[in-house]
PDB file of all heavy atoms in Angstrom:
ATOM      1  N   ARG A   1     138.556 268.848  45.188  1.00 94.00           N
ATOM      2  CA  ARG A   1     138.206 270.082  45.894  1.00 94.00           C
ATOM      3  C   ARG A   1     138.617 270.074  47.359  1.00 94.00           C
ATOM      4  O   ARG A   1     138.580 271.104  48.028  1.00 94.00           O
ATOM      5  CB  ARG A   1     136.691 270.314  45.801  1.00 94.00           C
ATOM      6  CG  ARG A   1     136.215 270.561  44.391  1.00 94.00           C
ATOM      7  CD  ARG A   1     134.697 270.644  44.307  1.00 94.00           C
ATOM      8  NE  ARG A   1     134.154 271.724  45.124  1.00 94.00           N
ATOM      9  CZ  ARG A   1     132.853 272.014  45.186  1.00 94.00           C
ATOM     10  NH1 ARG A   1     131.988 271.318  44.456  1.00 94.00           N
ATOM     11  NH2 ARG A   1     132.425 273.002  45.945  1.00 94.00           N
ATOM     12  N   ARG A   2     139.027 268.929  47.854  1.00 94.00           N
ATOM     13  CA  ARG A   2     139.283 268.757  49.278  1.00 94.00           C
ATOM     14  C   ARG A   2     140.231 269.789  49.887  1.00 94.00           C
ATOM     15  O   ARG A   2     139.977 270.286  50.994  1.00 94.00           O
ATOM     16  CB  ARG A   2     139.798 267.344  49.541  1.00 94.00           C
ATOM     17  CG  ARG A   2     139.938 267.019  51.022  1.00 94.00           C
ATOM     18  CD  ARG A   2     140.172 265.546  51.245  1.00 94.00           C
ATOM     19  NE  ARG A   2     140.128 265.209  52.656  1.00 94.00           N
ATOM     20  CZ  ARG A   2     139.649 264.069  53.132  1.00 94.00           C
ATOM     21  NH1 ARG A   2     139.165 263.158  52.305  1.00 94.00           N
ATOM     22  NH2 ARG A   2     139.641 263.839  54.428  1.00 94.00           N
ATOM     23  N   PRO A   3     141.352 270.149  49.239  1.00 93.00           N
ATOM     24  CA  PRO A   3     142.261 271.120  49.854  1.00 93.00           C
ATOM     25  C   PRO A   3     141.609 272.463  50.176  1.00 93.00           C
ATOM     26  O   PRO A   3     142.052 273.169  51.088  1.00 93.00           O
ATOM     27  CB  PRO A   3     143.371 271.262  48.799  1.00 93.00           C
ATOM     28  CG  PRO A   3     143.353 269.978  48.043  1.00 93.00           C
ATOM     29  CD  PRO A   3     141.906 269.607  47.974  1.00 93.00           C
ATOM     30  N   ALA A   4     140.556 272.826  49.441  1.00 91.00           N
ATOM     31  CA  ALA A   4     139.910 274.125  49.647  1.00 91.00           C
ATOM     32  C   ALA A   4     138.711 274.040  50.590  1.00 91.00           C
ATOM     33  O   ALA A   4     138.101 275.061  50.924  1.00 91.00           O
ATOM     34  CB  ALA A   4     139.445 274.701  48.307  1.00 91.00           C
ATOM     35  N   LEU A   5     138.365 272.823  51.051  1.00 93.00           N
ATOM     36  CA  LEU A   5     137.176 272.638  51.878  1.00 93.00           C
ATOM     37  C   LEU A   5     137.484 272.765  53.365  1.00 93.00           C
ATOM     38  O   LEU A   5     138.591 272.473  53.818  1.00 93.00           O
ATOM     39  CB  LEU A   5     136.547 271.265  51.606  1.00 93.00           C
ATOM     40  CG  LEU A   5     136.035 271.006  50.185  1.00 93.00           C
ATOM     41  CD1 LEU A   5     135.529 269.577  50.073  1.00 93.00           C
ATOM     42  CD2 LEU A   5     134.948 271.999  49.810  1.00 93.00           C
ATOM     43  N   SER A   6     136.484 273.206  54.126  1.00 91.00           N
ATOM     44  CA  SER A   6     136.561 273.255  55.587  1.00 91.00           C
ATOM     45  C   SER A   6     135.614 272.198  56.161  1.00 91.00           C
ATOM     46  O   SER A   6     134.702 271.730  55.480  1.00 91.00           O
ATOM     47  CB  SER A   6     136.153 274.638  56.104  1.00 91.00           C
ATOM     48  OG  SER A   6     137.018 275.641  55.618  1.00 91.00           O
ATOM     49  N   CYS A   7     135.856 271.860  57.426  1.00 91.00           N
ATOM     50  CA  CYS A   7     134.967 270.939  58.153  1.00 91.00           C
ATOM     51  C   CYS A   7     134.780 269.620  57.398  1.00 91.00           C
ATOM     52  O   CYS A   7     133.656 269.108  57.281  1.00 91.00           O
ATOM     53  CB  CYS A   7     133.607 271.578  58.414  1.00 91.00           C
ATOM     54  SG  CYS A   7     133.685 273.218  59.165  1.00 91.00           S
ATOM     55  N   VAL A   8     135.858 269.073  56.860  1.00 93.00           N
ATOM     56  CA  VAL A   8     135.769 267.814  56.111  1.00 93.00           C
ATOM     57  C   VAL A   8     135.498 266.652  57.073  1.00 93.00           C
ATOM     58  O   VAL A   8     136.149 266.521  58.108  1.00 93.00           O
ATOM     59  CB  VAL A   8     137.063 267.552  55.315  1.00 93.00           C
ATOM     60  CG1 VAL A   8     137.035 266.164  54.684  1.00 93.00           C
ATOM     61  CG2 VAL A   8     137.246 268.625  54.251  1.00 93.00           C
ATOM     62  N   ARG A   9     134.518 265.844  56.712  1.00 91.00           N
ATOM     63  CA  ARG A   9     134.156 264.680  57.526  1.00 91.00           C
ATOM     64  C   ARG A   9     133.958 263.474  56.616  1.00 91.00           C
ATOM     65  O   ARG A   9     133.487 263.605  55.490  1.00 91.00           O
ATOM     66  CB  ARG A   9     132.869 264.943  58.306  1.00 91.00           C
ATOM     67  CG  ARG A   9     132.947 266.092  59.295  1.00 91.00           C
ATOM     68  CD  ARG A   9     133.775 265.703  60.523  1.00 91.00           C
ATOM     69  NE  ARG A   9     133.806 266.800  61.470  1.00 91.00           N
ATOM     70  CZ  ARG A   9     134.734 267.744  61.504  1.00 91.00           C
ATOM     71  NH1 ARG A   9     135.727 267.720  60.624  1.00 91.00           N
ATOM     72  NH2 ARG A   9     134.693 268.706  62.407  1.00 91.00           N
ATOM     73  N   GLU A  10     134.301 262.296  57.154  1.00 91.00           N
ATOM     74  CA  GLU A  10     134.060 261.048  56.440  1.00 91.00           C
ATOM     75  C   GLU A  10     133.346 260.082  57.373  1.00 91.00           C
ATOM     76  O   GLU A  10     133.726 259.936  58.538  1.00 91.00           O
ATOM     77  CB  GLU A  10     135.374 260.434  55.960  1.00 91.00           C
ATOM     78  CG  GLU A  10     136.104 261.276  54.924  1.00 91.00           C
ATOM     79  CD  GLU A  10     137.315 260.566  54.350  1.00 91.00           C
ATOM     80  OE1 GLU A  10     137.354 259.303  54.431  1.00 91.00           O
ATOM     81  OE2 GLU A  10     138.216 261.232  53.826  1.00 91.00           O
ATOM     82  N   PHE A  11     132.268 259.465  56.873  1.00 85.00           N
ATOM     83  CA  PHE A  11     131.491 258.539  57.671  1.00 85.00           C
ATOM     84  C   PHE A  11     131.362 257.221  56.927  1.00 85.00           C
ATOM     85  O   PHE A  11     130.924 257.186  55.767  1.00 85.00           O
ATOM     86  CB  PHE A  11     130.091 259.103  57.947  1.00 85.00           C
ATOM     87  CG  PHE A  11     130.099 260.418  58.685  1.00 85.00           C
ATOM     88  CD1 PHE A  11     129.962 261.612  57.992  1.00 85.00           C
ATOM     89  CD2 PHE A  11     130.252 260.450  60.060  1.00 85.00           C
ATOM     90  CE1 PHE A  11     129.974 262.826  58.664  1.00 85.00           C
ATOM     91  CE2 PHE A  11     130.264 261.661  60.749  1.00 85.00           C
ATOM     92  CZ  PHE A  11     130.124 262.843  60.046  1.00 85.00           C
ATOM     93  N   VAL A  12     131.743 256.144  57.590  1.00 83.00           N
ATOM     94  CA  VAL A  12     131.607 254.811  57.013  1.00 83.00           C
ATOM     95  C   VAL A  12     130.221 254.291  57.371  1.00 83.00           C
ATOM     96  O   VAL A  12     129.880 254.147  58.543  1.00 83.00           O
ATOM     97  CB  VAL A  12     132.688 253.857  57.535  1.00 83.00           C
ATOM     98  CG1 VAL A  12     132.491 252.463  56.935  1.00 83.00           C
ATOM     99  CG2 VAL A  12     134.080 254.378  57.182  1.00 83.00           C
ATOM    100  N   THR A  13     129.403 254.020  56.357  1.00 81.00           N
ATOM    101  CA  THR A  13     128.038 253.559  56.563  1.00 81.00           C
ATOM    102  C   THR A  13     127.822 252.238  55.833  1.00 81.00           C
ATOM    103  O   THR A  13     128.700 251.761  55.107  1.00 81.00           O
ATOM    104  CB  THR A  13     127.025 254.594  56.032  1.00 81.00           C
ATOM    105  OG1 THR A  13     127.034 254.561  54.590  1.00 81.00           O
ATOM    106  CG2 THR A  13     127.392 256.000  56.508  1.00 81.00           C
ATOM    107  N   GLU A  14     126.633 251.667  56.008  1.00 76.00           N
ATOM    108  CA  GLU A  14     126.286 250.438  55.299  1.00 76.00           C
ATOM    109  C   GLU A  14     126.271 250.674  53.791  1.00 76.00           C
ATOM    110  O   GLU A  14     126.480 249.757  53.008  1.00 76.00           O
ATOM    111  CB  GLU A  14     124.917 249.940  55.763  1.00 76.00           C
ATOM    112  CG  GLU A  14     124.888 249.403  57.192  1.00 76.00           C
ATOM    113  CD  GLU A  14     125.664 248.112  57.329  1.00 76.00           C
ATOM    114  OE1 GLU A  14     125.658 247.305  56.374  1.00 76.00           O
ATOM    115  OE2 GLU A  14     126.285 247.899  58.389  1.00 76.00           O
ATOM    116  N   GLN A  15     125.996 251.921  53.393  1.00 79.00           N
ATOM    117  CA  GLN A  15     125.911 252.241  51.964  1.00 79.00           C
ATOM    118  C   GLN A  15     127.246 252.688  51.369  1.00 79.00           C
ATOM    119  O   GLN A  15     127.328 252.948  50.170  1.00 79.00           O
ATOM    120  CB  GLN A  15     124.870 253.342  51.744  1.00 79.00           C
ATOM    121  CG  GLN A  15     123.428 252.909  52.001  1.00 79.00           C
ATOM    122  CD  GLN A  15     123.082 252.885  53.482  1.00 79.00           C
ATOM    123  OE1 GLN A  15     123.688 253.599  54.272  1.00 79.00           O
ATOM    124  NE2 GLN A  15     122.121 252.058  53.847  1.00 79.00           N
ATOM    125  N   GLY A  16     128.273 252.805  52.194  1.00 86.00           N
ATOM    126  CA  GLY A  16     129.576 253.228  51.693  1.00 86.00           C
ATOM    127  C   GLY A  16     130.176 254.331  52.543  1.00 86.00           C
ATOM    128  O   GLY A  16     129.634 254.709  53.578  1.00 86.00           O
ATOM    129  N   CYS A  17     131.301 254.868  52.101  1.00 91.00           N
ATOM    130  CA  CYS A  17     131.977 255.956  52.812  1.00 91.00           C
ATOM    131  C   CYS A  17     131.479 257.282  52.259  1.00 91.00           C
ATOM    132  O   CYS A  17     131.682 257.584  51.086  1.00 91.00           O
ATOM    133  CB  CYS A  17     133.491 255.845  52.640  1.00 91.00           C
ATOM    134  SG  CYS A  17     134.407 257.152  53.493  1.00 91.00           S
ATOM    135  N   TRP A  18     130.819 258.067  53.116  1.00 93.00           N
ATOM    136  CA  TRP A  18     130.276 259.357  52.700  1.00 93.00           C
ATOM    137  C   TRP A  18     131.166 260.479  53.194  1.00 93.00           C
ATOM    138  O   TRP A  18     131.589 260.503  54.347  1.00 93.00           O
ATOM    139  CB  TRP A  18     128.869 259.548  53.250  1.00 93.00           C
ATOM    140  CG  TRP A  18     127.874 258.577  52.699  1.00 93.00           C
ATOM    141  CD1 TRP A  18     128.008 257.797  51.584  1.00 93.00           C
ATOM    142  CD2 TRP A  18     126.589 258.256  53.241  1.00 93.00           C
ATOM    143  NE1 TRP A  18     126.893 257.018  51.393  1.00 93.00           N
ATOM    144  CE2 TRP A  18     126.002 257.283  52.394  1.00 93.00           C
ATOM    145  CE3 TRP A  18     125.874 258.700  54.342  1.00 93.00           C
ATOM    146  CZ2 TRP A  18     124.733 256.758  52.626  1.00 93.00           C
ATOM    147  CZ3 TRP A  18     124.615 258.183  54.576  1.00 93.00           C
ATOM    148  CH2 TRP A  18     124.048 257.218  53.727  1.00 93.00           C
ATOM    149  N   LYS A  19     131.432 261.419  52.312  1.00 95.00           N
ATOM    150  CA  LYS A  19     132.295 262.548  52.646  1.00 95.00           C
ATOM    151  C   LYS A  19     131.489 263.845  52.595  1.00 95.00           C
ATOM    152  O   LYS A  19     130.606 264.009  51.758  1.00 95.00           O
ATOM    153  CB  LYS A  19     133.471 262.628  51.673  1.00 95.00           C
ATOM    154  CG  LYS A  19     134.351 261.384  51.663  1.00 95.00           C
ATOM    155  CD  LYS A  19     135.424 261.456  50.587  1.00 95.00           C
ATOM    156  CE  LYS A  19     136.258 260.183  50.540  1.00 95.00           C
ATOM    157  NZ  LYS A  19     137.277 260.210  49.472  1.00 95.00           N
ATOM    158  N   TYR A  20     131.827 264.755  53.513  1.00 95.00           N
ATOM    159  CA  TYR A  20     131.170 266.059  53.578  1.00 95.00           C
ATOM    160  C   TYR A  20     132.229 267.151  53.712  1.00 95.00           C
ATOM    161  O   TYR A  20     133.311 266.924  54.251  1.00 95.00           O
ATOM    162  CB  TYR A  20     130.252 266.154  54.800  1.00 95.00           C
ATOM    163  CG  TYR A  20     129.052 265.241  54.800  1.00 95.00           C
ATOM    164  CD1 TYR A  20     129.171 263.905  55.175  1.00 95.00           C
ATOM    165  CD2 TYR A  20     127.792 265.713  54.461  1.00 95.00           C
ATOM    166  CE1 TYR A  20     128.064 263.067  55.205  1.00 95.00           C
ATOM    167  CE2 TYR A  20     126.676 264.888  54.489  1.00 95.00           C
ATOM    168  CZ  TYR A  20     126.812 263.563  54.865  1.00 95.00           C
ATOM    169  OH  TYR A  20     125.725 262.742  54.892  1.00 95.00           O
ATOM    170  N   GLY A  21     131.885 268.347  53.267  1.00 95.00           N
ATOM    171  CA  GLY A  21     132.778 269.483  53.456  1.00 95.00           C
ATOM    172  C   GLY A  21     132.054 270.788  53.168  1.00 95.00           C
ATOM    173  O   GLY A  21     130.960 270.792  52.593  1.00 95.00           O
ATOM    174  N   LEU A  22     132.661 271.900  53.590  1.00 93.00           N
ATOM    175  CA  LEU A  22     132.107 273.236  53.339  1.00 93.00           C
ATOM    176  C   LEU A  22     133.105 274.046  52.526  1.00 93.00           C
ATOM    177  O   LEU A  22     134.292 274.057  52.835  1.00 93.00           O
ATOM    178  CB  LEU A  22     131.847 273.963  54.663  1.00 93.00           C
ATOM    179  CG  LEU A  22     130.504 273.762  55.356  1.00 93.00           C
ATOM    180  CD1 LEU A  22     130.519 274.490  56.694  1.00 93.00           C
ATOM    181  CD2 LEU A  22     129.358 274.261  54.500  1.00 93.00           C
ATOM    182  N   ASP A  23     132.609 274.738  51.506  1.00 88.00           N
ATOM    183  CA  ASP A  23     133.462 275.594  50.679  1.00 88.00           C
ATOM    184  C   ASP A  23     133.155 277.044  51.016  1.00 88.00           C
ATOM    185  O   ASP A  23     132.133 277.588  50.604  1.00 88.00           O
ATOM    186  CB  ASP A  23     133.197 275.314  49.203  1.00 88.00           C
ATOM    187  CG  ASP A  23     134.229 275.977  48.305  1.00 88.00           C
ATOM    188  OD1 ASP A  23     134.961 276.845  48.804  1.00 88.00           O
ATOM    189  OD2 ASP A  23     134.300 275.618  47.116  1.00 88.00           O
ATOM    190  N   ILE A  24     134.030 277.689  51.805  1.00 85.00           N
ATOM    191  CA  ILE A  24     133.759 279.063  52.251  1.00 85.00           C
ATOM    192  C   ILE A  24     134.775 280.055  51.691  1.00 85.00           C
ATOM    193  O   ILE A  24     134.940 281.148  52.220  1.00 85.00           O
ATOM    194  CB  ILE A  24     133.760 279.151  53.792  1.00 85.00           C
ATOM    195  CG1 ILE A  24     135.133 278.760  54.350  1.00 85.00           C
ATOM    196  CG2 ILE A  24     132.669 278.306  54.395  1.00 85.00           C
ATOM    197  CD1 ILE A  24     135.283 279.058  55.825  1.00 85.00           C
TER     198      ILE A  24
END
């Protein structure tokens, strides 16, 4: 879904790499 998402962010944490995005 990434190509259609806005405001994509990736955060490396102790629990793993978390990704966020908005579908508008």
Side-chain angles (χ1 to χ4, degrees):
R1 295 174 60 178
R2 187 168 188 145
L5 298 176
S6 298
C7 309
V8 173
R9 298 286 182 268
E10 295 187 22
F11 300 98
V12 179
T13 73
E14 290 292 325
Q15 291 79 26
C17 180
W18 295 343
K19 300 174 183 178
Y20 294 81
L22 272 176
D23 191 346
I24 61 170

